[in-house]
Amino acid sequence: MNEKILSLFGLARRAGRLAPGHDAVVESIVKNKARLCVLCLEASERLEREIRHACSYDGKNIPVIKAGFSTGELSKAIGTKAAVISVNDEGFSKKLLSMLEQEIQRKE
């Protein structure tokens, strides 16, 4: 399942619907473009806290998921190094959110 999720992240990146890295993610959140934020396993507590706060600040309700893959796996899929990404498209975000939630439930 991780392969399909990572492949979809790569597709979103090529379509220009993905913002990789801290600064790009925060900018997407501030400009109300972000529809989903995804953190890698190695994301620090500080980064996670900051992203979760930004996603819930001022009435925003952007889902934040800590995914079950490493920064290296994500970086390989999207072509750039990033521990956090935002998906800036409603269609991609709905599909990825459902796939990520299924993966999390499957592991529990």
Side-chain angles (χ1 to χ4, degrees), residues 17-90:
R17 304 289 190 242
L18 191 128
H22 174 271
D23 293 342
V25 168
V26 170
E27 183 179 341
S28 292
I29 294 167
V30 168
K31 291 184 176 182
N32 294 317
K33 292 181 179 179
R35 300 290 173 252
L36 169 67
C37 289
V38 180
L39 296 152
C40 292
L41 288 173
E42 298 94 356
S44 69
E45 287 181 29
R46 180 175 175 246
L47 175 62
E48 184 174 357
R49 197 171 44 247
E50 183 178 344
I51 296 300
R52 288 189 186 278
H53 175 71
C55 287
S56 62
Y57 182 76
D58 200 24
K60 290 180 174 68
N61 191 22
I62 302 167
V64 179
I65 299 279
K66 189 148 191 181
F69 42 79
S70 69
T71 304
E73 292 171 316
L74 179 64
S75 298
K76 184 177 177 186
I78 64 172
T80 187
K81 189 173 182 194
V84 61
I85 59 173
S86 71
V87 180
N88 301 336
D89 179 83
E90 194 68 37

Side-chain angles (χ1 to χ4, degrees), residues 6-26:
L6 290 169
S7 176
L8 198 53
F9 280 129
L11 182 62
R13 170 69 177 191
R14 289 187 300 279
R17 304 289 190 242
L18 191 128
H22 174 271
D23 293 342
V25 168
V26 170

